[in-house]
Amino acid sequence: MKPVRSFASDNNASVHPDILRAVAAVNQGHVVGYGDDPYTAAAVRNFKKHFGPDIEVFFVFNGTAANCLSLRPMTESYHAVICADGAHIYTDECGAPEKFTGCKLIPISAPDGKLTVEAVGHAYHGIGDQHHVQPRVISVTQATELGTVYTPREIRDLARFAHQRNMFLHMDGARIANAAVSLGLTLREATRDLGVDVLSFGGTKNGAIGAEAVVFFDKKLARDFLYLRKQGMQLASKMRFISAQLDALLSNQLWRKNAEHSNRMAKLLEKEVRKIPQVKIVQKVEANGVFAKIPRHAIAKLQKHYFFYVWEEERSVVRWMCSFDTTEQDVKRFAKAVAKVVPE
Ligand SMILES: Cc1ncc(COP(=O)(O)O)c(C=O)c1O
């Protein structure tokens, strides 16, 4: 098969060679399974270096599980989770958060992917009413599903709103590295320091094979997490191979370098396609995704050569994602291909 790079998803990207090397490096001898091994201890230490010594962190296989498992300790089944209407937990997890927590998800219209305090305020009602679910968590996605990034102030305001009402702030950080880089912040400054209580930390989209983490900044919430993770079928027997990946991502600035590169490629793609009058960029390009409205007839023609998703069928909006392994040449070639098909 001829190797190609496309713009469908950062999940379609390859694995960063440093991650593969880290996996190979721990591939010797036997160690205890299920996380009681020195490589997992080293990765946990690394998370503590980044986020502070008083966190609890647990590794899982995928982002859906990180989200569901993050939400579970914060909620009872009569609670509700407020999220954007395009949130991954609401649109792309097949109802897993509802099934796993028993909670209702309350979606809020968010045309740029971001919740606001004002919009969340409208959904915060029925408190103390036995007929009504009780809002307990606000879940934000950073960077958002639409390639935008909350400012620190926006996150801080949502955290304050939540904490003043005995609620928690969850962050789906499948692309937290892209967001932190975009904001010029460390991972801690972009999460914990803004008032996030629980973070789904993404590794896979940033160069790992299948390695995510649940990070608790409020340790009390982590009390029963070992059992919840096992019940959630996310306890890896050969944990060292997940731990080694996350340890590598958090070492030598790999998380930052990968995210910086994919963000830069998205900016370049934006710049190139903005030269094409028939292409309209419909969201701010603040992370590694470009959302564009293109002539309907061009989509199928482009898709003959490049795989990508139509995001909004009705408006003819497509999503183009960049990854750590996207090259400038990929971007320029793709922009040329777009320019070629749109006028026809
Ligand atoms: C915002 C967001 N959250 C979480 C996920 C993780 O999902 P998965 O369970 O496929 O790893 C994704 C993946 O596409 C995502 O885009």
Side-chain angles (χ1 to χ4, degrees):
M1 217 172 98
K2 196 168 147 252
V4 288
R5 274 184 298 267
S6 216
F7 291 85
S9 170
D10 32 12
N11 281 335
N12 294 14
S14 60
V15 174
H16 193 280
D18 288 358
I19 301 278
L20 285 179
R21 266 192 287 276
V23 170
V26 301
N27 190 29
Q28 27 179 317
H30 289 203
V31 297
V32 178
Y34 300 105
D36 213 358
D37 66 85
Y39 306 114
T40 301
V44 168
R45 278 199 300 278
N46 211 343
F47 268 89
K48 291 186 173 181
K49 230 164 64 192
H50 282 269
F51 290 101
D54 52 341
I55 60 155
E56 293 281 355
V57 58
F58 302 86
F59 304 150
V60 296
F61 298 111
N62 64 52
T64 299
N67 285 337
C68 294
L69 286 166
S70 292
L71 295 173
R72 179 63 187 80
M74 295 187 273
T75 51
E76 299 289 344
S77 59
Y78 51 86
H79 284 142
V81 177
I82 298 174
C83 60
D85 55 356
H88 200 266
I89 57 169
Y90 186 66
T91 60
D92 276 317
E93 296 186 356
C94 194
E98 292 93 328
K99 177 175 156 68
F100 203 71
T101 63
C103 291
K104 192 178 175 92
L105 264 51
I106 301 181
I108 294 193
S109 168
D112 62 353
K114 298 201 246 178
L115 292 175
T116 62
V117 166
E118 196 196 350
V120 169
H122 292 305
Y124 183 78
H125 58 86
I127 310 306
D129 179 346
Q130 64 182 332
H131 301 284
H132 203 280
V133 285
Q134 301 295 295
R136 183 65 160 164
V137 179
I138 298 172
S139 179
V140 292
T141 308
Q142 180 76 316
T144 74
E145 290 80 359
L146 295 178
T148 54
V149 172
Y150 285 89
T151 65
R153 172 106 198 234
E154 288 167 337
I155 297 288
R156 212 180 282 117
D157 287 351
L158 286 163
R160 190 176 307 116
F161 180 96
H163 296 154
Q164 284 170 346
R165 288 161 183 78
N166 198 27
M167 295 169 77
F168 297 106
L169 184 66
H170 165 250
M171 181 177 277
D172 175 348
R175 298 188 182 88
I176 185 59
N178 301 90
V181 158
S182 174
L183 295 169
L185 299 177
T186 64
L187 290 169
R188 177 181 173 143
E189 286 165 351
T191 55
R192 179 180 199 171
D193 292 353
L194 302 177
V196 173
D197 295 296
V198 184
L199 168 70
S200 302
F201 176 90
T204 311
K205 293 178 197 310
N206 202 24
I209 298 168
E212 314 276 312
V214 178
V215 189
F216 291 94
F217 302 124
D218 177 349
K219 279 179 95 160
K220 287 194 295 299
L221 290 171
R223 202 186 53 204
D224 297 324
F225 197 79
L226 286 176
Y227 315 112
L228 293 172
R229 179 175 60 179
K230 181 65 180 180
Q231 276 198 334
M233 295 163 279
Q234 289 284 317
L235 175 58
S237 52
K238 289 191 176 174
M239 181 82 81
R240 67 172 134 160
F241 298 104
I242 294 192
S243 309
Q245 295 178 54
L246 291 165
D247 200 12
L249 253 191
L250 291 184
S251 302
N252 307 318
Q253 306 277 344
L254 184 60
W255 69 272
R256 188 191 295 279
K257 288 180 213 158
N258 285 356
E260 261 167 12
H261 180 83
S262 50
N263 286 7
R264 194 162 58 75
M265 289 301 103
K267 275 282 179 207
L268 178 64
L269 179 57
E270 178 193 16
K271 184 173 145 225
E272 291 297 316
V273 297
R274 272 196 192 279
K275 295 176 191 162
I276 309 167
Q278 296 90 336
V279 173
K280 187 166 177 282
I281 303 293
V282 296
Q283 295 290 346
K284 286 187 189 161
V285 178
E286 295 176 328
N288 62 324
V290 176
F291 288 74
K293 185 168 160 33
I294 67 174
R296 201 171 297 277
H297 70 84
I299 294 176
K301 286 178 199 147
L302 256 182
Q303 282 178 332
K304 274 198 199 134
H305 306 286
Y306 288 96
F307 179 44
F308 60 85
Y309 292 104
V310 176
W311 207 250
E312 271 183 69
E313 190 78 50
E314 246 173 57
R315 284 205 305 150
S316 193
V317 169
V318 298
R319 181 186 84 159
W320 296 324
M321 297 301 291
C322 296
S323 320
F324 76 88
D325 63 355
T326 305
T327 66
E328 287 190 17
Q329 196 186 38
D330 293 332
V331 170
K332 290 197 171 151
R333 257 198 215 138
F334 181 64
K336 250 193 205 153
V338 177
K340 193 163 164 224
V341 296
V342 289
E344 289 169 20

PDB file of all heavy atoms in Angstrom, residues 9-11 61-67 86-89 92-93 141-145 172-175 200 204-205 212 311 319 321, ligand 1:
ATOM      1  N   SER A   9      -8.343  13.337   9.997  1.00  0.00           N
ATOM      2  CA  SER A   9      -8.333  13.320  11.459  1.00  0.00           C
ATOM      3  C   SER A   9      -6.912  13.145  11.969  1.00  0.00           C
ATOM      4  O   SER A   9      -6.102  12.463  11.334  1.00  0.00           O
ATOM      5  CB  SER A   9      -9.189  12.156  11.954  1.00  0.00           C
ATOM      6  OG  SER A   9      -9.015  11.987  13.338  1.00  0.00           O
ATOM      7  N   ASP A  10      -6.664  13.723  13.133  1.00  0.00           N
ATOM      8  CA  ASP A  10      -5.377  13.471  13.771  1.00  0.00           C
ATOM      9  C   ASP A  10      -5.307  12.034  14.282  1.00  0.00           C
ATOM     10  O   ASP A  10      -4.242  11.546  14.662  1.00  0.00           O
ATOM     11  CB  ASP A  10      -5.088  14.502  14.879  1.00  0.00           C
ATOM     12  CG  ASP A  10      -6.343  14.997  15.577  1.00  0.00           C
ATOM     13  OD1 ASP A  10      -7.418  14.401  15.389  1.00  0.00           O
ATOM     14  OD2 ASP A  10      -6.260  16.001  16.308  1.00  0.00           O
ATOM     15  N   ASN A  11      -6.452  11.332  14.293  1.00  0.00           N
ATOM     16  CA  ASN A  11      -6.426   9.899  14.619  1.00  0.00           C
ATOM     17  C   ASN A  11      -5.919   9.065  13.453  1.00  0.00           C
ATOM     18  O   ASN A  11      -5.616   7.884  13.617  1.00  0.00           O
ATOM     19  CB  ASN A  11      -7.834   9.406  14.964  1.00  0.00           C
ATOM     20  CG  ASN A  11      -8.222   9.771  16.377  1.00  0.00           C
ATOM     21  OD1 ASN A  11      -7.369   9.951  17.230  1.00  0.00           O
ATOM     22  ND2 ASN A  11      -9.507   9.885  16.615  1.00  0.00           N
ATOM     23  N   PHE A  61      -7.237   3.505  27.707  1.00  0.00           N
ATOM     24  CA  PHE A  61      -6.925   3.242  26.305  1.00  0.00           C
ATOM     25  C   PHE A  61      -7.412   4.330  25.338  1.00  0.00           C
ATOM     26  O   PHE A  61      -6.828   4.533  24.298  1.00  0.00           O
ATOM     27  CB  PHE A  61      -7.583   1.940  25.830  1.00  0.00           C
ATOM     28  CG  PHE A  61      -7.124   0.707  26.540  1.00  0.00           C
ATOM     29  CD1 PHE A  61      -7.978   0.032  27.387  1.00  0.00           C
ATOM     30  CD2 PHE A  61      -5.854   0.211  26.338  1.00  0.00           C
ATOM     31  CE1 PHE A  61      -7.566  -1.128  28.029  1.00  0.00           C
ATOM     32  CE2 PHE A  61      -5.429  -0.946  26.976  1.00  0.00           C
ATOM     33  CZ  PHE A  61      -6.293  -1.618  27.823  1.00  0.00           C
ATOM     34  N   ASN A  62      -8.568   4.902  25.635  1.00  0.00           N
ATOM     35  CA  ASN A  62      -9.128   5.833  24.634  1.00  0.00           C
ATOM     36  C   ASN A  62      -9.868   7.009  25.264  1.00  0.00           C
ATOM     37  O   ASN A  62     -10.123   7.030  26.472  1.00  0.00           O
ATOM     38  CB  ASN A  62     -10.032   5.084  23.636  1.00  0.00           C
ATOM     39  CG  ASN A  62     -11.243   4.481  24.300  1.00  0.00           C
ATOM     40  OD1 ASN A  62     -11.966   5.168  25.010  1.00  0.00           O
ATOM     41  ND2 ASN A  62     -11.469   3.202  24.084  1.00  0.00           N
ATOM     42  N   GLY A  63     -10.191   7.967  24.397  1.00  0.00           N
ATOM     43  CA  GLY A  63     -10.749   9.222  24.886  1.00  0.00           C
ATOM     44  C   GLY A  63     -12.181   9.112  25.368  1.00  0.00           C
ATOM     45  O   GLY A  63     -12.581   9.805  26.311  1.00  0.00           O
ATOM     46  N   THR A  64     -12.949   8.245  24.747  1.00  0.00           N
ATOM     47  CA  THR A  64     -14.327   8.058  25.197  1.00  0.00           C
ATOM     48  C   THR A  64     -14.326   7.551  26.636  1.00  0.00           C
ATOM     49  O   THR A  64     -15.075   8.031  27.496  1.00  0.00           O
ATOM     50  CB  THR A  64     -15.061   7.066  24.264  1.00  0.00           C
ATOM     51  OG1 THR A  64     -15.072   7.617  22.947  1.00  0.00           O
ATOM     52  CG2 THR A  64     -16.475   6.808  24.717  1.00  0.00           C
ATOM     53  N   ALA A  65     -13.453   6.604  26.900  1.00  0.00           N
ATOM     54  CA  ALA A  65     -13.358   6.059  28.261  1.00  0.00           C
ATOM     55  C   ALA A  65     -12.850   7.119  29.227  1.00  0.00           C
ATOM     56  O   ALA A  65     -13.352   7.233  30.351  1.00  0.00           O
ATOM     57  CB  ALA A  65     -12.423   4.855  28.269  1.00  0.00           C
ATOM     58  N   ALA A  66     -11.864   7.897  28.788  1.00  0.00           N
ATOM     59  CA  ALA A  66     -11.346   8.944  29.678  1.00  0.00           C
ATOM     60  C   ALA A  66     -12.486   9.876  30.068  1.00  0.00           C
ATOM     61  O   ALA A  66     -12.619  10.260  31.239  1.00  0.00           O
ATOM     62  CB  ALA A  66     -10.227   9.720  28.985  1.00  0.00           C
ATOM     63  N   ASN A  67     -13.326  10.233  29.105  1.00  0.00           N
ATOM     64  CA  ASN A  67     -14.446  11.129  29.412  1.00  0.00           C
ATOM     65  C   ASN A  67     -15.469  10.476  30.336  1.00  0.00           C
ATOM     66  O   ASN A  67     -15.874  11.051  31.346  1.00  0.00           O
ATOM     67  CB  ASN A  67     -15.137  11.574  28.112  1.00  0.00           C
ATOM     68  CG  ASN A  67     -14.310  12.608  27.356  1.00  0.00           C
ATOM     69  OD1 ASN A  67     -13.478  13.290  27.945  1.00  0.00           O
ATOM     70  ND2 ASN A  67     -14.538  12.721  26.060  1.00  0.00           N
ATOM     71  N   GLY A  86     -22.084  20.386  20.269  1.00  0.00           N
ATOM     72  CA  GLY A  86     -21.169  19.643  19.406  1.00  0.00           C
ATOM     73  C   GLY A  86     -20.105  18.886  20.185  1.00  0.00           C
ATOM     74  O   GLY A  86     -19.133  18.388  19.599  1.00  0.00           O
ATOM     75  N   ALA A  87     -20.283  18.798  21.504  1.00  0.00           N
ATOM     76  CA  ALA A  87     -19.255  18.134  22.332  1.00  0.00           C
ATOM     77  C   ALA A  87     -19.135  16.664  21.946  1.00  0.00           C
ATOM     78  O   ALA A  87     -20.148  16.002  21.684  1.00  0.00           O
ATOM     79  CB  ALA A  87     -19.623  18.256  23.804  1.00  0.00           C
ATOM     80  N   HIS A  88     -17.928  16.173  21.966  1.00  0.00           N
ATOM     81  CA  HIS A  88     -17.703  14.758  21.657  1.00  0.00           C
ATOM     82  C   HIS A  88     -18.541  13.874  22.568  1.00  0.00           C
ATOM     83  O   HIS A  88     -19.132  12.892  22.122  1.00  0.00           O
ATOM     84  CB  HIS A  88     -16.204  14.434  21.817  1.00  0.00           C
ATOM     85  CG  HIS A  88     -15.775  13.200  21.105  1.00  0.00           C
ATOM     86  ND1 HIS A  88     -15.725  11.966  21.715  1.00  0.00           N
ATOM     87  CD2 HIS A  88     -15.371  13.005  19.830  1.00  0.00           C
ATOM     88  CE1 HIS A  88     -15.289  11.065  20.842  1.00  0.00           C
ATOM     89  NE2 HIS A  88     -15.081  11.659  19.687  1.00  0.00           N
ATOM     90  N   ILE A  89     -18.642  14.241  23.851  1.00  0.00           N
ATOM     91  CA  ILE A  89     -19.422  13.398  24.776  1.00  0.00           C
ATOM     92  C   ILE A  89     -20.890  13.339  24.371  1.00  0.00           C
ATOM     93  O   ILE A  89     -21.584  12.376  24.653  1.00  0.00           O
ATOM     94  CB  ILE A  89     -19.299  13.846  26.261  1.00  0.00           C
ATOM     95  CG1 ILE A  89     -19.725  15.304  26.442  1.00  0.00           C
ATOM     96  CG2 ILE A  89     -17.929  13.583  26.816  1.00  0.00           C
ATOM     97  CD1 ILE A  89     -19.871  15.691  27.926  1.00  0.00           C
ATOM     98  N   ASP A  92     -20.561  12.050  19.793  1.00  0.00           N
ATOM     99  CA  ASP A  92     -19.693  11.035  19.184  1.00  0.00           C
ATOM    100  C   ASP A  92     -19.304   9.894  20.102  1.00  0.00           C
ATOM    101  O   ASP A  92     -18.299   9.225  19.843  1.00  0.00           O
ATOM    102  CB  ASP A  92     -18.417  11.720  18.650  1.00  0.00           C
ATOM    103  CG  ASP A  92     -18.636  12.310  17.264  1.00  0.00           C
ATOM    104  OD1 ASP A  92     -19.268  11.619  16.440  1.00  0.00           O
ATOM    105  OD2 ASP A  92     -18.215  13.443  17.013  1.00  0.00           O
ATOM    106  N   GLU A  93     -20.053   9.714  21.165  1.00  0.00           N
ATOM    107  CA  GLU A  93     -19.661   8.627  22.069  1.00  0.00           C
ATOM    108  C   GLU A  93     -20.800   7.624  22.258  1.00  0.00           C
ATOM    109  O   GLU A  93     -20.846   6.893  23.250  1.00  0.00           O
ATOM    110  CB  GLU A  93     -19.122   9.209  23.396  1.00  0.00           C
ATOM    111  CG  GLU A  93     -17.847  10.013  23.123  1.00  0.00           C
ATOM    112  CD  GLU A  93     -17.092  10.541  24.324  1.00  0.00           C
ATOM    113  OE1 GLU A  93     -17.553  10.372  25.468  1.00  0.00           O
ATOM    114  OE2 GLU A  93     -16.027  11.156  24.103  1.00  0.00           O
ATOM    115  N   THR A 141     -14.611  21.244  26.065  1.00  0.00           N
ATOM    116  CA  THR A 141     -13.614  20.549  25.254  1.00  0.00           C
ATOM    117  C   THR A 141     -12.573  21.571  24.849  1.00  0.00           C
ATOM    118  O   THR A 141     -12.905  22.638  24.329  1.00  0.00           O
ATOM    119  CB  THR A 141     -14.258  19.947  23.989  1.00  0.00           C
ATOM    120  OG1 THR A 141     -15.378  19.164  24.380  1.00  0.00           O
ATOM    121  CG2 THR A 141     -13.263  19.066  23.247  1.00  0.00           C
ATOM    122  N   GLN A 142     -11.297  21.247  25.114  1.00  0.00           N
ATOM    123  CA  GLN A 142     -10.221  22.195  24.871  1.00  0.00           C
ATOM    124  C   GLN A 142      -9.067  21.469  24.191  1.00  0.00           C
ATOM    125  O   GLN A 142      -8.495  20.581  24.814  1.00  0.00           O
ATOM    126  CB  GLN A 142      -9.801  22.814  26.219  1.00  0.00           C
ATOM    127  CG  GLN A 142      -8.694  23.819  26.178  1.00  0.00           C
ATOM    128  CD  GLN A 142      -9.081  25.203  25.669  1.00  0.00           C
ATOM    129  OE1 GLN A 142      -9.795  25.332  24.667  1.00  0.00           O
ATOM    130  NE2 GLN A 142      -8.588  26.225  26.298  1.00  0.00           N
ATOM    131  N   ALA A 143      -8.634  21.775  22.957  1.00  0.00           N
ATOM    132  CA  ALA A 143      -9.306  22.637  22.023  1.00  0.00           C
ATOM    133  C   ALA A 143     -10.681  22.068  21.634  1.00  0.00           C
ATOM    134  O   ALA A 143     -10.900  20.861  21.752  1.00  0.00           O
ATOM    135  CB  ALA A 143      -8.437  22.773  20.774  1.00  0.00           C
ATOM    136  N   THR A 144     -11.578  22.914  21.144  1.00  0.00           N
ATOM    137  CA  THR A 144     -12.936  22.456  20.883  1.00  0.00           C
ATOM    138  C   THR A 144     -12.999  21.578  19.635  1.00  0.00           C
ATOM    139  O   THR A 144     -12.053  21.510  18.846  1.00  0.00           O
ATOM    140  CB  THR A 144     -13.900  23.641  20.674  1.00  0.00           C
ATOM    141  OG1 THR A 144     -13.643  24.202  19.370  1.00  0.00           O
ATOM    142  CG2 THR A 144     -13.758  24.705  21.730  1.00  0.00           C
ATOM    143  N   GLU A 145     -14.159  20.965  19.462  1.00  0.00           N
ATOM    144  CA  GLU A 145     -14.392  20.118  18.289  1.00  0.00           C
ATOM    145  C   GLU A 145     -14.412  20.942  17.008  1.00  0.00           C
ATOM    146  O   GLU A 145     -14.417  20.390  15.911  1.00  0.00           O
ATOM    147  CB  GLU A 145     -15.722  19.372  18.439  1.00  0.00           C
ATOM    148  CG  GLU A 145     -15.741  18.287  19.505  1.00  0.00           C
ATOM    149  CD  GLU A 145     -15.935  18.808  20.927  1.00  0.00           C
ATOM    150  OE1 GLU A 145     -16.041  20.040  21.131  1.00  0.00           O
ATOM    151  OE2 GLU A 145     -15.966  17.972  21.842  1.00  0.00           O
ATOM    152  N   ASP A 172     -12.554  17.952  28.520  1.00  0.00           N
ATOM    153  CA  ASP A 172     -12.173  16.927  27.548  1.00  0.00           C
ATOM    154  C   ASP A 172     -10.940  17.475  26.828  1.00  0.00           C
ATOM    155  O   ASP A 172     -11.039  18.324  25.946  1.00  0.00           O
ATOM    156  CB  ASP A 172     -13.331  16.684  26.571  1.00  0.00           C
ATOM    157  CG  ASP A 172     -12.950  15.699  25.453  1.00  0.00           C
ATOM    158  OD1 ASP A 172     -11.745  15.394  25.304  1.00  0.00           O
ATOM    159  OD2 ASP A 172     -13.859  15.264  24.724  1.00  0.00           O
ATOM    160  N   GLY A 173      -9.799  16.969  27.240  1.00  0.00           N
ATOM    161  CA  GLY A 173      -8.538  17.470  26.688  1.00  0.00           C
ATOM    162  C   GLY A 173      -7.943  16.510  25.669  1.00  0.00           C
ATOM    163  O   GLY A 173      -6.731  16.291  25.659  1.00  0.00           O
ATOM    164  N   ALA A 174      -8.797  15.965  24.811  1.00  0.00           N
ATOM    165  CA  ALA A 174      -8.262  15.100  23.750  1.00  0.00           C
ATOM    166  C   ALA A 174      -7.187  15.856  22.968  1.00  0.00           C
ATOM    167  O   ALA A 174      -6.226  15.262  22.472  1.00  0.00           O
ATOM    168  CB  ALA A 174      -9.391  14.646  22.817  1.00  0.00           C
ATOM    169  N   ARG A 175      -7.372  17.187  22.868  1.00  0.00           N
ATOM    170  CA  ARG A 175      -6.370  18.029  22.183  1.00  0.00           C
ATOM    171  C   ARG A 175      -5.863  19.136  23.117  1.00  0.00           C
ATOM    172  O   ARG A 175      -5.646  20.258  22.696  1.00  0.00           O
ATOM    173  CB  ARG A 175      -6.970  18.641  20.908  1.00  0.00           C
ATOM    174  CG  ARG A 175      -7.391  17.610  19.899  1.00  0.00           C
ATOM    175  CD  ARG A 175      -7.816  18.202  18.560  1.00  0.00           C
ATOM    176  NE  ARG A 175      -8.249  17.142  17.672  1.00  0.00           N
ATOM    177  CZ  ARG A 175      -9.496  16.671  17.605  1.00  0.00           C
ATOM    178  NH1 ARG A 175     -10.447  17.202  18.369  1.00  0.00           N
ATOM    179  NH2 ARG A 175      -9.797  15.683  16.775  1.00  0.00           N
ATOM    180  N   SER A 200      -9.569  14.981  31.027  1.00  0.00           N
ATOM    181  CA  SER A 200      -9.277  13.836  30.142  1.00  0.00           C
ATOM    182  C   SER A 200      -8.086  14.272  29.313  1.00  0.00           C
ATOM    183  O   SER A 200      -8.217  15.160  28.463  1.00  0.00           O
ATOM    184  CB  SER A 200     -10.463  13.549  29.209  1.00  0.00           C
ATOM    185  OG  SER A 200     -11.637  13.294  29.921  1.00  0.00           O
ATOM    186  N   THR A 204      -3.287  10.195  22.211  1.00  0.00           N
ATOM    187  CA  THR A 204      -3.361   9.513  20.915  1.00  0.00           C
ATOM    188  C   THR A 204      -3.296  10.478  19.736  1.00  0.00           C
ATOM    189  O   THR A 204      -2.568  10.235  18.772  1.00  0.00           O
ATOM    190  CB  THR A 204      -4.669   8.683  20.848  1.00  0.00           C
ATOM    191  OG1 THR A 204      -4.768   7.920  22.044  1.00  0.00           O
ATOM    192  CG2 THR A 204      -4.675   7.774  19.645  1.00  0.00           C
ATOM    193  N   LYS A 205      -4.055  11.570  19.825  1.00  0.00           N
ATOM    194  CA  LYS A 205      -4.087  12.501  18.682  1.00  0.00           C
ATOM    195  C   LYS A 205      -2.781  13.273  18.542  1.00  0.00           C
ATOM    196  O   LYS A 205      -2.554  13.941  17.543  1.00  0.00           O
ATOM    197  CB  LYS A 205      -5.238  13.504  18.861  1.00  0.00           C
ATOM    198  CG  LYS A 205      -6.602  12.844  18.784  1.00  0.00           C
ATOM    199  CD  LYS A 205      -7.679  13.881  19.013  1.00  0.00           C
ATOM    200  CE  LYS A 205      -9.001  13.256  19.357  1.00  0.00           C
ATOM    201  NZ  LYS A 205      -9.444  12.207  18.462  1.00  0.00           N
ATOM    202  N   GLU A 212      -4.325   7.493  26.862  1.00  0.00           N
ATOM    203  CA  GLU A 212      -4.986   8.685  27.396  1.00  0.00           C
ATOM    204  C   GLU A 212      -4.913   8.590  28.919  1.00  0.00           C
ATOM    205  O   GLU A 212      -4.603   7.529  29.458  1.00  0.00           O
ATOM    206  CB  GLU A 212      -6.455   8.727  26.958  1.00  0.00           C
ATOM    207  CG  GLU A 212      -6.704   8.430  25.482  1.00  0.00           C
ATOM    208  CD  GLU A 212      -6.544   9.612  24.531  1.00  0.00           C
ATOM    209  OE1 GLU A 212      -7.094  10.676  24.820  1.00  0.00           O
ATOM    210  OE2 GLU A 212      -5.869   9.458  23.492  1.00  0.00           O
ATOM    211  N   TRP A 311     -18.390  18.136   7.567  1.00  0.00           N
ATOM    212  CA  TRP A 311     -18.804  18.408   8.944  1.00  0.00           C
ATOM    213  C   TRP A 311     -20.262  18.814   9.013  1.00  0.00           C
ATOM    214  O   TRP A 311     -21.001  18.409   9.906  1.00  0.00           O
ATOM    215  CB  TRP A 311     -17.907  19.494   9.553  1.00  0.00           C
ATOM    216  CG  TRP A 311     -17.832  19.368  11.029  1.00  0.00           C
ATOM    217  CD1 TRP A 311     -18.374  20.205  11.950  1.00  0.00           C
ATOM    218  CD2 TRP A 311     -17.200  18.308  11.758  1.00  0.00           C
ATOM    219  NE1 TRP A 311     -18.107  19.737  13.216  1.00  0.00           N
ATOM    220  CE2 TRP A 311     -17.393  18.570  13.124  1.00  0.00           C
ATOM    221  CE3 TRP A 311     -16.495  17.152  11.383  1.00  0.00           C
ATOM    222  CZ2 TRP A 311     -16.899  17.730  14.129  1.00  0.00           C
ATOM    223  CZ3 TRP A 311     -16.009  16.325  12.371  1.00  0.00           C
ATOM    224  CH2 TRP A 311     -16.213  16.614  13.719  1.00  0.00           C
ATOM    225  N   ARG A 319     -14.218  19.518   7.353  1.00  0.00           N
ATOM    226  CA  ARG A 319     -13.186  19.637   8.399  1.00  0.00           C
ATOM    227  C   ARG A 319     -11.868  19.083   7.867  1.00  0.00           C
ATOM    228  O   ARG A 319     -11.821  17.969   7.368  1.00  0.00           O
ATOM    229  CB  ARG A 319     -13.608  18.837   9.626  1.00  0.00           C
ATOM    230  CG  ARG A 319     -12.597  18.939  10.758  1.00  0.00           C
ATOM    231  CD  ARG A 319     -12.948  18.032  11.929  1.00  0.00           C
ATOM    232  NE  ARG A 319     -12.480  16.677  11.729  1.00  0.00           N
ATOM    233  CZ  ARG A 319     -12.292  15.788  12.713  1.00  0.00           C
ATOM    234  NH1 ARG A 319     -12.560  16.114  13.955  1.00  0.00           N
ATOM    235  NH2 ARG A 319     -11.871  14.570  12.459  1.00  0.00           N
ATOM    236  N   MET A 321      -8.090  18.328   9.238  1.00  0.00           N
ATOM    237  CA  MET A 321      -7.253  18.269  10.442  1.00  0.00           C
ATOM    238  C   MET A 321      -5.785  18.050  10.081  1.00  0.00           C
ATOM    239  O   MET A 321      -5.467  17.292   9.161  1.00  0.00           O
ATOM    240  CB  MET A 321      -7.684  17.097  11.341  1.00  0.00           C
ATOM    241  CG  MET A 321      -9.085  17.182  11.886  1.00  0.00           C
ATOM    242  SD  MET A 321      -9.439  18.635  12.893  1.00  0.00           S
ATOM    243  CE  MET A 321      -8.449  18.307  14.353  1.00  0.00           C
TER     244      MET A 321
HETATM  245  C1  LIG B   1     -12.936  16.079  21.401  1.00  0.00           C
HETATM  246  C2  LIG B   1     -12.702  14.620  21.467  1.00  0.00           C
HETATM  247  N1  LIG B   1     -12.801  13.999  22.640  1.00  0.00           N
HETATM  248  C3  LIG B   1     -12.518  12.700  22.762  1.00  0.00           C
HETATM  249  C4  LIG B   1     -12.127  11.958  21.670  1.00  0.00           C
HETATM  250  C5  LIG B   1     -11.659  10.563  21.887  1.00  0.00           C
HETATM  251  O1  LIG B   1     -12.306   9.560  21.320  1.00  0.00           O
HETATM  252  P1  LIG B   1     -11.806   8.061  21.158  1.00  0.00           P
HETATM  253  O2  LIG B   1     -12.654   7.282  22.094  1.00  0.00           O
HETATM  254  O3  LIG B   1     -12.069   7.774  19.754  1.00  0.00           O
HETATM  255  O4  LIG B   1     -10.354   7.950  21.534  1.00  0.00           O
HETATM  256  C6  LIG B   1     -12.085  12.534  20.413  1.00  0.00           C
HETATM  257  C7  LIG B   1     -11.735  11.745  19.219  1.00  0.00           C
HETATM  258  O5  LIG B   1     -12.084  11.982  18.127  1.00  0.00           O
HETATM  259  C8  LIG B   1     -12.361  13.920  20.296  1.00  0.00           C
HETATM  260  O6  LIG B   1     -12.296  14.555  19.121  1.00  0.00           O
END
